[in-house]
Amino acid sequence: MFIDEITIKARAGDGGRGCVSFRREKFEPWGGPNGGDGGKGGDVILRGDDDQNNLVDFKFKPNWTAERGGHGLGKDCNGREGRPAVLRVPLGTVVTSLETGAVVTEILEDGEEFVLCKGGKGGFGNTRFKSSTNRAPRQSGPGEPGEHGEFRLELKTIADVGLVGFPNAGKSSLTNLITNARPKTAPYPFTTLHPQIGIIEYPADYDRLVLADVPGLIAGASENKGLGHRFLRHIERCTVLLLILDMAGTDARDPRDDYRHLLRELELYNPALLAKPRLIAANKMDVPEAAVHLKKFKARHKGLALLPISCLNQTGIAELKKELLKSVRRKQRKEKKSPSAIA
């Protein structure tokens, strides 16, 4: 089960109640106040976890409550702090408050923490209220309530390569070939119903890339047609886009029109996606008609980084992997030199 958007309720712990107590010892029956303060309530904390890849844990546990602080005790003993509720979320999680509609935070790094709801402060014990005119105070603080709210968690996958294409273009087959992911493959559209995350290994270079395979798009995806645009957010943070085209022209399709429609849908969803480096994989070159379509495609779209491949006989797969690594590392070097560059 893959969940990339979920609503949760979070409540931090209330602060503990302060204590009203007086010192009672041998020969000092009327000692002064010695009530301790209440403990602070536990926080609700978000923590980035690189081992998580979706939000399925929150489907079965949407309500999170931290422990309340302990009450104060006599002999100036303060109550203990409440245990926090720690929510482990995948990297790329965007948190939005349902009350205000504002983005609260984005978790982008492993181990990064953010306090979503702060625990309430503990109430003062009666020791805090003693003075020269009030030597035996009998008042104490009740402790503050913890923060609470409803939030929407939305996952935007952080990957090096975003794989985009129309249904039946061969995305799942390519993902099976070059990564450790095993998405379903079949001769009908929409076999991929949710994003697939896979690792491209480069043993000779001691390197690896993360690839995100997005479910097939159709014309009008930005208007919520087909599977809609809900999965397009998973390529927003990708370093390089890999567009795969069915060069065989299955179902009387024209690869030139497919390429134009893909760019159009990306632009309608977020124009910044067109500023990302992109490679085009011309798939199904094992089909005789593919050579004719490839020639026509090159005539219309000159100067594109086009790589002919075949997922059936694995032609051009090794070259594609090398080009992906070069493109990703080239983009990352540019970003280091100019941090303000478009991601």
Side-chain angles (χ1 to χ4, degrees), residues 133-195:
T133 58
N134 187 12
R135 303 178 66 179
R138 294 185 176 277
Q139 63 264 44
S140 63
E144 297 180 0
E147 297 178 346
H148 65 278
E150 284 191 72
F151 303 90
R152 183 173 70 251
L153 306 185
E154 181 182 8
L155 177 61
K156 294 183 179 180
T157 303
I158 298 177
D160 299 304
V161 180
L163 180 58
V164 185
F166 279 92
N168 269 359
K171 297 192 315 308
S172 297
S173 299
L174 181 60
T175 301
N176 269 310
L177 281 176
I178 65 176
T179 76
N180 58 356
R182 294 295 175 262
K184 179 181 179 180
T185 57
Y188 54 83
F190 298 117
T191 55
T192 302
L193 298 178
H194 57 76

Side-chain angles (χ1 to χ4, degrees), residues 11 21 64 66-67 74 93 96 137 143 166 174 185 187-188 195 199 209 223 258 285 295 331 333 340:
R11 177 178 290 275
S21 175
W64 293 79
E67 186 183 36
T93 300
T96 305
F166 279 92
L174 181 60
T185 57
Y188 54 83
I199 305 296
L209 298 177
E223 300 173 358
D258 285 352
M285 293 305 298
K295 185 176 180 179
K331 173 63 174 176
R333 287 194 295 268
S340 61

Side-chain angles (χ1 to χ4, degrees), residues 1 26 40 66 90 117 123 159 164 185 187 204 231 256 259 263 276 287 292:
M1 181 182 294
K26 190 175 182 180
K40 176 183 174 296
C117 296
V164 185
T185 57
F231 295 124
R256 297 170 295 181
Y259 179 68
L263 294 184
K276 292 181 178 291
V287 179
V292 178

Side-chain angles (χ1 to χ4, degrees), residues 25-48:
E25 296 181 10
K26 190 175 182 180
F27 306 122
E28 286 192 65
W30 301 103
N34 68 348
D37 299 338
K40 176 183 174 296
D43 300 327
V44 177
I45 300 174
L46 299 175
R47 179 181 297 163

Side-chain angles (χ1 to χ4, degrees), residues 61-89:
K61 187 180 178 182
N63 300 324
W64 293 79
T65 304
E67 186 183 36
R68 69 166 300 144
H71 300 313
L73 302 172
K75 298 184 179 180
D76 292 317
C77 292
N78 296 336
R80 69 177 180 87
E81 291 190 1
R83 285 189 294 268
V86 180
L87 285 64
R88 297 189 304 148
V89 297

